[in-house]
Amino acid sequence: MRSTRRSLAARLTAAGAGLVLMLTATACSAGDDDTDAATVEVFTWWAEGGEKAGLDALVSRFTADCPGQQFTDGVVAGGAGINAKQVLTARLAQGDPPDTFQVHAGAELTDYIDAGQVQDLTAEYDAWGLRQALPEGLVDDLTVNGKIYSVPANVHRANVVWINPQVLSNAGIHTTPKTITALLRDMEKLRKSGIESPLALGRDWTQLMLLEAVLISKLGAERFSGLFTGETSWSSSAVSAGIRDFGKLMSYSNADRDAMDWPDAERLLIDGKAGYQLMGDWEAADLEAKGFKAYDWFTFPGNGEVFQWLADSFVLAGGAPNPEGTKCWLKTVASAEGQGAFNAAKGSVPARTDAATPAGTVFSSYQQSAMEDWKTATPVPSCAHGSACSQAWQNAVNSALSAYSTSQQSTTTQPSTASPQSITALHKALIAAANQFIKQEQE
Ligand code: BGC
């Protein structure tokens, strides 16, 4: 069995080579008592709140299911993996893979498959009966050339608006907006009531989520999905209109958005400094974990019955130091019990159709409604969360959004309309990114 030494040393590389040598030596002597403990390094971006609660629940199951294996936390904080993915890329390039890492099902996983950085799990799927336990469409998104490369833990919904009902009620807002125009009108009401930044927003990828929700409204499910396959043009007037609406919505957000991760923006909602936040439905579990129960939510106006989905999954990394232990982790992630425990805490819909919560617990009322919607609503993928587009495409879009957001800071802290030049520049950048990456995908 593998000892804990390598993993300790690997985690400490950032502290400097001298320190690593010193601590590795210490670990070697300490390891003499510990030769039976094999470690599985699990690399995620689930560092706090509802995300950490979900990971902890999975780790408890793993500890019970996999005697002799020990969990090592390879977490790198930062919503949507914005920092973790960079660290992971560097580690994979240096030949220092964690045993397993979190990856979104869909285009993002395909990046790692194409690069040969993940191992084939087809035999495990068959041995564990996973083809029957998981929805067929999801298994398709994890498959390339007939081989399956990852185990999905959950499904999240991206296109949800979280609200602070008290803040809205104080401004006389008692109905759910059905259109973007109505939402903008309510934001103006909030601003007049003294809420300077009605829409809590964070950095680039959270802005991409907002843009995607607007585009779903403007284009409908099928044409929206086509934006990422080349079937829908990014140059259309519907996309231009969407970008203009996005600019208007941005003008109601906090000026310091580019320095904020999603929990920072969520704090504005909790503290009553904002009325709305568009965010994936991990927010429900996170708000609960932070003790804020008085929230409510609605699907982004105009998105109708569309469920913008993303799924977290785990892989067996190429060159994983402890493949056997990692397979035991993956089996736990795949199991009905593991998915029940994990999703109850994480706030997501279990990927398996037969997962039950641990005895004495139930899925939250939000989760129960999401599970119903997942069965009936029209699914569309997400670029911000890797189900629709590759990481390189996502990075290009995020850069374009950052440039746009920064350009809006220069005039005033509360611009009420976006400048036409910057909207055109953003649209051009989005078209250029689509042209570049759709072409690459078709080659
Ligand atoms: C992940 C979620 C996570 C969210 C915020 C998404 O990309 O799929 O599991 O909660 O990012 O960090």
Side-chain angles (χ1 to χ4, degrees), residues 338-356:
Q339 298 224 339
F342 169 71
N343 285 287
K346 177 75 169 66
S348 32
V349 174
R352 285 184 77 113
T353 45
D354 58 353

PDB file of all heavy atoms in Angstrom, residues 338-356:
ATOM      1  N   GLY A 338     -23.891   7.173  -1.254  1.00  0.00           N
ATOM      2  CA  GLY A 338     -22.959   8.305  -1.380  1.00  0.00           C
ATOM      3  C   GLY A 338     -23.674   9.500  -1.995  1.00  0.00           C
ATOM      4  O   GLY A 338     -23.538  10.637  -1.530  1.00  0.00           O
ATOM      5  N   GLN A 339     -24.445   9.264  -3.034  1.00  0.00           N
ATOM      6  CA  GLN A 339     -25.130  10.378  -3.719  1.00  0.00           C
ATOM      7  C   GLN A 339     -26.213  10.989  -2.842  1.00  0.00           C
ATOM      8  O   GLN A 339     -26.448  12.195  -2.880  1.00  0.00           O
ATOM      9  CB  GLN A 339     -25.724   9.888  -5.039  1.00  0.00           C
ATOM     10  CG  GLN A 339     -24.652   9.395  -5.985  1.00  0.00           C
ATOM     11  CD  GLN A 339     -24.821   9.851  -7.411  1.00  0.00           C
ATOM     12  OE1 GLN A 339     -25.910  10.216  -7.841  1.00  0.00           O
ATOM     13  NE2 GLN A 339     -23.734   9.834  -8.147  1.00  0.00           N
ATOM     14  N   GLY A 340     -26.880  10.136  -2.042  1.00  0.00           N
ATOM     15  CA  GLY A 340     -27.904  10.666  -1.138  1.00  0.00           C
ATOM     16  C   GLY A 340     -27.280  11.602  -0.116  1.00  0.00           C
ATOM     17  O   GLY A 340     -27.735  12.741   0.081  1.00  0.00           O
ATOM     18  N   ALA A 341     -26.191  11.134   0.507  1.00  0.00           N
ATOM     19  CA  ALA A 341     -25.551  11.936   1.565  1.00  0.00           C
ATOM     20  C   ALA A 341     -24.963  13.219   0.975  1.00  0.00           C
ATOM     21  O   ALA A 341     -25.139  14.318   1.514  1.00  0.00           O
ATOM     22  CB  ALA A 341     -24.449  11.105   2.233  1.00  0.00           C
ATOM     23  N   PHE A 342     -24.269  13.075  -0.144  1.00  0.00           N
ATOM     24  CA  PHE A 342     -23.603  14.230  -0.757  1.00  0.00           C
ATOM     25  C   PHE A 342     -24.616  15.294  -1.195  1.00  0.00           C
ATOM     26  O   PHE A 342     -24.510  16.469  -0.849  1.00  0.00           O
ATOM     27  CB  PHE A 342     -22.783  13.756  -1.964  1.00  0.00           C
ATOM     28  CG  PHE A 342     -22.263  14.866  -2.822  1.00  0.00           C
ATOM     29  CD1 PHE A 342     -21.240  15.702  -2.373  1.00  0.00           C
ATOM     30  CD2 PHE A 342     -22.778  15.097  -4.096  1.00  0.00           C
ATOM     31  CE1 PHE A 342     -20.760  16.729  -3.160  1.00  0.00           C
ATOM     32  CE2 PHE A 342     -22.310  16.123  -4.888  1.00  0.00           C
ATOM     33  CZ  PHE A 342     -21.295  16.945  -4.414  1.00  0.00           C
ATOM     34  N   ASN A 343     -25.621  14.853  -1.938  1.00  0.00           N
ATOM     35  CA  ASN A 343     -26.547  15.835  -2.523  1.00  0.00           C
ATOM     36  C   ASN A 343     -27.449  16.498  -1.486  1.00  0.00           C
ATOM     37  O   ASN A 343     -27.804  17.668  -1.639  1.00  0.00           O
ATOM     38  CB  ASN A 343     -27.362  15.182  -3.642  1.00  0.00           C
ATOM     39  CG  ASN A 343     -26.515  14.994  -4.885  1.00  0.00           C
ATOM     40  OD1 ASN A 343     -26.217  15.947  -5.569  1.00  0.00           O
ATOM     41  ND2 ASN A 343     -26.081  13.766  -5.137  1.00  0.00           N
ATOM     42  N   ALA A 344     -27.782  15.753  -0.419  1.00  0.00           N
ATOM     43  CA  ALA A 344     -28.600  16.375   0.631  1.00  0.00           C
ATOM     44  C   ALA A 344     -27.866  17.592   1.191  1.00  0.00           C
ATOM     45  O   ALA A 344     -28.471  18.630   1.463  1.00  0.00           O
ATOM     46  CB  ALA A 344     -28.897  15.363   1.733  1.00  0.00           C
ATOM     47  N   ALA A 345     -26.535  17.475   1.320  1.00  0.00           N
ATOM     48  CA  ALA A 345     -25.760  18.587   1.891  1.00  0.00           C
ATOM     49  C   ALA A 345     -25.369  19.625   0.839  1.00  0.00           C
ATOM     50  O   ALA A 345     -25.296  20.815   1.132  1.00  0.00           O
ATOM     51  CB  ALA A 345     -24.499  18.031   2.563  1.00  0.00           C
ATOM     52  N   LYS A 346     -25.140  19.193  -0.388  1.00  0.00           N
ATOM     53  CA  LYS A 346     -24.633  20.103  -1.421  1.00  0.00           C
ATOM     54  C   LYS A 346     -25.746  20.898  -2.098  1.00  0.00           C
ATOM     55  O   LYS A 346     -25.509  21.917  -2.739  1.00  0.00           O
ATOM     56  CB  LYS A 346     -23.857  19.264  -2.460  1.00  0.00           C
ATOM     57  CG  LYS A 346     -23.296  20.009  -3.655  1.00  0.00           C
ATOM     58  CD  LYS A 346     -22.073  20.815  -3.271  1.00  0.00           C
ATOM     59  CE  LYS A 346     -21.300  21.362  -4.453  1.00  0.00           C
ATOM     60  NZ  LYS A 346     -22.005  22.351  -5.249  1.00  0.00           N
ATOM     61  N   GLY A 347     -26.982  20.394  -1.982  1.00  0.00           N
ATOM     62  CA  GLY A 347     -28.108  21.146  -2.546  1.00  0.00           C
ATOM     63  C   GLY A 347     -28.392  20.810  -3.996  1.00  0.00           C
ATOM     64  O   GLY A 347     -29.153  21.508  -4.654  1.00  0.00           O
ATOM     65  N   SER A 348     -27.787  19.738  -4.504  1.00  0.00           N
ATOM     66  CA  SER A 348     -27.976  19.396  -5.919  1.00  0.00           C
ATOM     67  C   SER A 348     -28.919  18.214  -6.076  1.00  0.00           C
ATOM     68  O   SER A 348     -29.323  17.578  -5.108  1.00  0.00           O
ATOM     69  CB  SER A 348     -26.613  19.094  -6.550  1.00  0.00           C
ATOM     70  OG  SER A 348     -25.729  18.519  -5.619  1.00  0.00           O
ATOM     71  N   VAL A 349     -29.230  17.915  -7.329  1.00  0.00           N
ATOM     72  CA  VAL A 349     -30.059  16.756  -7.657  1.00  0.00           C
ATOM     73  C   VAL A 349     -29.104  15.573  -7.827  1.00  0.00           C
ATOM     74  O   VAL A 349     -28.108  15.696  -8.538  1.00  0.00           O
ATOM     75  CB  VAL A 349     -30.805  17.008  -8.994  1.00  0.00           C
ATOM     76  CG1 VAL A 349     -31.563  15.769  -9.444  1.00  0.00           C
ATOM     77  CG2 VAL A 349     -31.725  18.209  -8.878  1.00  0.00           C
ATOM     78  N   PRO A 350     -29.368  14.416  -7.186  1.00  0.00           N
ATOM     79  CA  PRO A 350     -28.472  13.273  -7.392  1.00  0.00           C
ATOM     80  C   PRO A 350     -28.439  12.886  -8.870  1.00  0.00           C
ATOM     81  O   PRO A 350     -29.464  12.948  -9.555  1.00  0.00           O
ATOM     82  CB  PRO A 350     -29.114  12.157  -6.560  1.00  0.00           C
ATOM     83  CG  PRO A 350     -29.997  12.858  -5.582  1.00  0.00           C
ATOM     84  CD  PRO A 350     -30.454  14.115  -6.253  1.00  0.00           C
ATOM     85  N   ALA A 351     -27.256  12.492  -9.340  1.00  0.00           N
ATOM     86  CA  ALA A 351     -27.172  12.036 -10.730  1.00  0.00           C
ATOM     87  C   ALA A 351     -27.915  10.714 -10.875  1.00  0.00           C
ATOM     88  O   ALA A 351     -28.578  10.465 -11.876  1.00  0.00           O
ATOM     89  CB  ALA A 351     -25.704  11.877 -11.130  1.00  0.00           C
ATOM     90  N   ARG A 352     -27.818   9.839  -9.861  1.00  0.00           N
ATOM     91  CA  ARG A 352     -28.548   8.561  -9.893  1.00  0.00           C
ATOM     92  C   ARG A 352     -30.036   8.822  -9.696  1.00  0.00           C
ATOM     93  O   ARG A 352     -30.419   9.745  -8.982  1.00  0.00           O
ATOM     94  CB  ARG A 352     -28.097   7.659  -8.734  1.00  0.00           C
ATOM     95  CG  ARG A 352     -26.767   7.013  -8.904  1.00  0.00           C
ATOM     96  CD  ARG A 352     -26.516   6.097  -7.725  1.00  0.00           C
ATOM     97  NE  ARG A 352     -27.261   4.859  -7.819  1.00  0.00           N
ATOM     98  CZ  ARG A 352     -26.715   3.662  -7.990  1.00  0.00           C
ATOM     99  NH1 ARG A 352     -25.403   3.544  -8.047  1.00  0.00           N
ATOM    100  NH2 ARG A 352     -27.459   2.594  -8.067  1.00  0.00           N
ATOM    101  N   THR A 353     -30.828   7.955 -10.254  1.00  0.00           N
ATOM    102  CA  THR A 353     -32.266   8.163 -10.109  1.00  0.00           C
ATOM    103  C   THR A 353     -32.795   7.507  -8.829  1.00  0.00           C
ATOM    104  O   THR A 353     -33.935   7.745  -8.436  1.00  0.00           O
ATOM    105  CB  THR A 353     -32.992   7.585 -11.343  1.00  0.00           C
ATOM    106  OG1 THR A 353     -32.427   6.304 -11.617  1.00  0.00           O
ATOM    107  CG2 THR A 353     -32.807   8.471 -12.546  1.00  0.00           C
ATOM    108  N   ASP A 354     -31.940   6.684  -8.137  1.00  0.00           N
ATOM    109  CA  ASP A 354     -32.439   5.948  -6.973  1.00  0.00           C
ATOM    110  C   ASP A 354     -31.756   6.361  -5.664  1.00  0.00           C
ATOM    111  O   ASP A 354     -31.761   5.607  -4.700  1.00  0.00           O
ATOM    112  CB  ASP A 354     -32.223   4.443  -7.192  1.00  0.00           C
ATOM    113  CG  ASP A 354     -30.745   4.117  -7.439  1.00  0.00           C
ATOM    114  OD1 ASP A 354     -29.938   5.058  -7.571  1.00  0.00           O
ATOM    115  OD2 ASP A 354     -30.404   2.928  -7.481  1.00  0.00           O
ATOM    116  N   ALA A 355     -31.130   7.553  -5.636  1.00  0.00           N
ATOM    117  CA  ALA A 355     -30.409   7.950  -4.414  1.00  0.00           C
ATOM    118  C   ALA A 355     -31.395   8.393  -3.338  1.00  0.00           C
ATOM    119  O   ALA A 355     -32.346   9.109  -3.623  1.00  0.00           O
ATOM    120  CB  ALA A 355     -29.450   9.084  -4.729  1.00  0.00           C
ATOM    121  N   ALA A 356     -31.151   7.936  -2.103  1.00  0.00           N
ATOM    122  CA  ALA A 356     -32.016   8.362  -0.991  1.00  0.00           C
ATOM    123  C   ALA A 356     -31.163   9.075   0.046  1.00  0.00           C
ATOM    124  O   ALA A 356     -29.980   8.762   0.206  1.00  0.00           O
ATOM    125  CB  ALA A 356     -32.682   7.137  -0.374  1.00  0.00           C
TER     126      ALA A 356
END
